[in-house]
Amino acid sequence: MAEITLIEGLRQGMDEELERDERVFIVGEDVGQRGGVFRATEGLYEKYGEDRIIDSPLAEDSIVGIGIGTALYGMRPICEIQFADFIYPAFNQIVSEAARMCYRSAGEWTVPMVIRVPYGGGIGGGLYHSQSVEAFFAHVPGLKVVVPSTPYDAKGLIKSSVRDPGPVIFLEPKRGYRLIRGEVPEDEEVLVPIGPARISRTGTDLSVFAYGMMHHYCLEAAERVAQEGINAEVIDLRTLKPVDRQTILASVAKTGRALIVHEDNLTGGYGAEIAAILAEEAFGDLDAPVRRLAGPDVPAMPYSHPFESWFMPDADRIAKAILELAAF
Amino acid sequence: MAEITLIEGLRQGMDEELERDERVFIVGEDVGQRGGVFRATEGLYEKYGEDRIIDSPLAEDSIVGIGIGTALYGMRPICEIQFADFIYPAFNQIVSEAARMCYRSAGEWTVPMVIRVPYGGGIGGGLYHSQSVEAFFAHVPGLKVVVPSTPYDAKGLIKSSVRDPGPVIFLEPKRGYRLIRGEVPEDEEVLVPIGPARISRTGTDLSVFAYGMMHHYCLEAAERVAQEGINAEVIDLRTLKPVDRQTILASVAKTGRALIVHEDNLTGGYGAEIAAILAEEAFGDLDAPVRRLAGPDVPAMPYSHPFESWFMPDADRIAKAILELAAF
Amino acid sequence: MEAQEDLQLNLNEESLLEMYGLIVLSRRLDERTWVLHRQGKIAFHISGIGHEAAQVGAAMALRRGQDWVVPYYRDLAMMLALGLTPKEFMLGVMGKKGEPSSGARQMPSHWSIRRMNVVSHSSPVATQTPHASGIGLAIKMRGDDAIVLTSIGEGATSQGAWYEAVNWAAIHKLPVVFMVENNLYAISVRQDRQMAVEHVADKAAGLGLPGVTVDGLDALAVHRAISEAAARARAGDGPTLVEAMVQRMTPHSSDDDDRSYRPRAELEALKAQDPVRLQRDKLMDMGLLSEQAETEVQERAAAQVEEAIKFAASAPYPEVSEASYPVYAGDRADG
Amino acid sequence: MEAQEDLQLNLNEESLLEMYGLIVLSRRLDERTWVLHRQGKIAFHISGIGHEAAQVGAAMALRRGQDWVVPYYRDLAMMLALGLTPKEFMLGVMGKKGEPSSGARQMPSHWSIRRMNVVSHSSPVATQTPHASGIGLAIKMRGDDAIVLTSIGEGATSQGAWYEAVNWAAIHKLPVVFMVENNLYAISVRQDRQMAVEHVADKAAGLGLPGVTVDGLDALAVHRAISEAAARARAGDGPTLVEAMVQRMTPHSSDDDDRSYRPRAELEALKAQDPVRLQRDKLMDMGLLSEQAETEVQERAAAQVEEAIKFAASAPYPEVSEASYPVYAGDRADG
Ligand SMILES: Cc1ncc(C[n+]2csc(CCOP(=O)(O)OP(=O)(O)O)c2C)c(N)n1
Ligand SMILES: Cc1ncc(C[n+]2csc(CCOP(=O)(O)OP(=O)(O)O)c2C)c(N)n1
Ligand SMILES: [Mg+2]
Ligand SMILES: [Mg+2]
């Protein structure tokens, strides 16, 4: 098995789907000759040509809106939004159109499409190149929301997303693109189903829920607190919508304690939904308050280096939160 | 004291602010001669003229974007979005610009503006004239989110919102525009501060949190269950961001039980944040699971009459939820 | 003369009469729906009265069932021309079970006819325009023999989304016809508060595609303009913007009251230019329509309308259990 | 001849030299910032190299401090012309405490100079254009003696928001100058994949305002075009779209590598048209700049740049406590 990076997993997944199904194509800003500003589509323009790897005009609403049109016709678009921070111009097409098309036509029309969205901070991107946007989309019925944290899941989930019959918001933890490496088999097809969470570290004392880069920091923190005798279970949610309630509830039934970690702003963030599910359905299991560790409620991650570290939860802070919760 | 409708309260509030401060003006689709499609601005065009009551082109991003520009220059725009369902084209200007302007300029530039948004169902509006959008905006640092449920609060809160130095998303429960009547004094200035919730019915057995039309149904339900000996406390949140934690936590400390009601979709809805706050900060006070009663997770309220009733929580369903929770 | 050309080139006598029959049917159906609303029997109607000639002229310039259509809410006459039945329309108006465009989930006049390649659209205006360009892109990618027509009001062309979508089609020379039904009003807002150009067709120059303005009260003129645009599209020469000057002879919708913003005299004047009468006169001038045939057309339309109302009125409402799906493709009631 | 006119009408000898000095300063500062990046001393730079003449020409056509400016990220030279100091710029580049445009919250080159009516802008492109129209509207409402200039790249004019904003200014005849700095690239995407018109100025026709294309390598030509547009705006005759043809002589930003999409020969060719050299030659031709004066200009610029770097390098980073405010107007550290 080869060890590859997260972005390489993504690229392999897209490449295989482009190869497999000629209805699949990629559209977005700079995805062609440039190979994407993060190089996620590198080499695909050369391999599939400008008719299937399409540089869009600088207009996100149209990237998604055009994608929807092609999907209605039977194509399988992969739309790239260059940074999560620039998805808002497309909000109307995503929420009003992609998400509601199937329901509003009683299933007559569907929108099989993937919207790829590099998100998150820690790359010196300041207020507008660091944002997390999952809470917005996880609130919208009709959308699925997926976040891989490993090269294997990146490959397996992008392939499943391309094959999904409806719209998938595919959030890519961009700080992990090259930082996160992992083994991915070369001789078998890698497919990871949309839906199930993954218990990436089993434990008994408390449950830590996370996704994307934060999942890695949580694992790191869990190793650290293990040295102090705390045995944390870490769960990579992977699919935020629909969320894997069973796995979440089973874990908390076992541990009695829950910590949710994300880098998006705290208030109304994705963690609120997990906390609400637990408050409603795990009442009898909980031995301690549900804790959320998240980005602070400032508009976004500020640029200056000390600011950035201040904003972003890290292994230190997570470890501290684990210890506090375990001691409750 | 005169009894007036909710929309009349709003109109009075806007009228007084237009009169008081010549920097205040109104901009939106059909707000001029037409007086707004709901007639919220009726008579204002005649009184203040086309330079202060401005019919915009049919383009929401520009309504907000132009509003921001005028606010940067020192004006006090009241922007009307015709229906909440049509706010998504303006999402980028609201989230990227209005909300982040103060922080991103370290306070040098501010955006004092009100964005008025008629929202909610029960008016035969189907998928795209019934939506609730509070969860999106309550997640965005830099925005305030306000929802009046009475004529008094409509008047008092719109006036406070116009005077607020930053952007306020002002959500109007449009089903209540003419349905909800209440007394509003004529001989004194009505100002309701942004922030505090209002205990509209004191009780001891459980706490019901709601806003907008749902608040009225909750009151109705509370009266109904009172006949069965259950004494519910009902709280009109009024300001969703920043939310009044003290009042929420104090109520649950007293009652030990919490029900949150909204018509927006359940998952990732505003109720999740309230549930999360309680799960985190009221752990020791809770005698029962936190319950959420909300619109189902379908894309929006469907048109056909039976569908609409199915979607919308009403006094019956709320009463049932109260009784179940009280019996836990 | 031009009419003679039409007769030779595109339309035979039969299709001219079909055209007229559709225009009349649409008008009767539309008027009757207003009556139902006044009687309190239905909750909402949005009307195409004054737009019919343009819509039918456009629809009949397409290869129906082969070409694609992405319409907007005023397109009742266009939908009838594309095969929507009065019964289907009435099911929608009454929100009844089996309503084919949305299963009674959307408000009336939110079209979708899958069998005729008419794509589902929503209420937020101009959201359909990028879909049309996307369909055009897909047609081009697949090398299929089809084009797509999309319609919109002049007010909605103020939306940024509209420009972005037309821009795409212009850059990639996509087989799209952008039809604008200009009735000079967007609810209460007049064209001069909506744009600084005289004609919506002028917007084409800024986007790099041809734009034409045509008399939308004349079905044949519209038919000709759309046929030319469609021919360009089919030939791979790219999109065209066709602005049809129509008139809104009613309030915006049944929720609207236009008295505060629309002079009564203006409305009166429109009646002299009623497109239904104009088509009738034209056909009579051409000797294609006798008084007797006219009576038959009217009676047939009236009968169809009444039958549709009876049918829909006695149809059941949908089961509440239907409301919970399909949120995701493949969802079923039991899932 | 034209230059002589400028000399007579708008610009005296002194201001022509000021203009040149600013262009040189901007270039030196910009080049030095690239060096800092290569040395690993800073994290990010986005460059205005090749745009300087247009920007300074534009800025000097304004009444600085009275008129309003809503810029975009490439406008270093314009900002220097409006009073941004090299020290302030360097604080931003290094993310240091007291950086005046955002308190080190935004990436470098996200301008704001409150004292000069330069409005804060963000990264999502074209969001600034409606702000400019709104400022124009407010100026008109207040009857103030000011105009507003806003700039943008040609790629960003594909955003719907841009059309919507220009449309507003055209309808209401607002005192706005829409300046487009057309360098033919949006990161890697060439103009022909961005729009189907030959000139961005052609877009004006579709929006109902005048549009002109001007040689953006010639500061005086841009000065003239912007002066004319500003005069129109001041006279109440409404907005103008001015497209300045400039050249991006560097990769998009320090994060970019343009080798995959930009032919080396094309880049080489640009050097023959370097706007800094062109301005110098012009001033020398006009007899306004001696060799010795040129040396002084260069030395002065270099000294200012080095001083700024020293200043910013030794400035502290902001306190972490500053990061938590002001989320809402009036918020303070202690709130
Ligand atoms: C995004 C959005 N904003 C506002 C509305 C409300 N609205 C519905 S139709 C309409 C006017 C449309 O005018 P026009 O495009 O000229 O079409 P017409 O109705 O005249 O045929 C408005 C403002 C909407 N449907 N969508
Ligand atoms: C809404 C949005 N989408 C994408 C980007 C990423 N991006 C930054 S600059 C740029 C290209 C801009 O090109 P152009 O407008 O021509 O200006 P130039 O950089 O050439 O001066 C892109 C795609 C962005 N900043 N905002
Ligand atoms: Mg119209
Ligand atoms: Mg450019």
Side-chain angles (χ1 to χ4, degrees), chain D residues 51 72-74 153-156 181-187 248:
Chain D
H51 290 229
Y72 90 123
Y73 49 80
R74 282 209 201 283
E154 89 292 345
E181 302 181 28
N182 186 352
N183 58 19
L184 303 178
Y185 281 88
I187 307 187
R248 198 187 88 196

Side-chain angles (χ1 to χ4, degrees), chain B residues 32 48 83 85-86 102 160 198 208 240 245 262 296-297 299 307 326:
Chain B
Y48 298 101
F83 284 80
D85 315 61
F86 307 143
C102 174
S160 295
R198 184 171 63 93
V208 184
L240 305 190
R245 283 169 176 258
H262 56 67
D297 280 335
F307 286 171

